[in-house]
Amino acid sequence: MYKDLKNTIINTSYKLFMENGYDQTTVNDICAACSITKTTFYRYIDSKEELLSFFFDDRSEEHTSELQSPMYL
């Protein structure tokens, strides 16, 4: 459950960031889209800024794995 809800929050945040922009998306927007309270949000995520680190970490992993594919070796 923990990982599922955390992933839902992260994925929903990315969607909202792409649709509305990072600065225009609030924690309240994310909570409403996930049907959770702010208390629940902060139980899983430390801050809105932390969501960016998840995104950049995921993108870095994707690029690293792409570069390690046989096509690039």
Side-chain angles (χ1 to χ4, degrees), residues 10 13-14 30 45 47-55:
I10 293 167
S13 299
Y14 293 161
I30 297 165
I45 306 295
S47 66
K48 183 176 132 180
E49 292 77 20
E50 181 186 29
L51 293 167
L52 286 179
S53 70
F54 290 124
F55 176 73

Side-chain angles (χ1 to χ4, degrees), residues 5-6 13-14 29 34 36-37 52-53 60 66-67 70:
L5 183 52
K6 186 172 183 174
S13 299
Y14 293 161
D29 295 332
C34 293
I36 61 172
T37 64
L52 286 179
S53 70
S60 293
E66 287 173 6
L67 291 174

Side-chain angles (χ1 to χ4, degrees), residues 21-47:
Y22 175 81
D23 290 332
Q24 286 69 39
T25 302
T26 66
V27 171
N28 286 335
D29 295 332
I30 297 165
C31 291
C34 293
S35 299
I36 61 172
T37 64
K38 280 178 107 173
T39 301
T40 301
F41 175 89
Y42 286 112
R43 187 175 299 139
Y44 292 90
I45 306 295
D46 290 333
S47 66

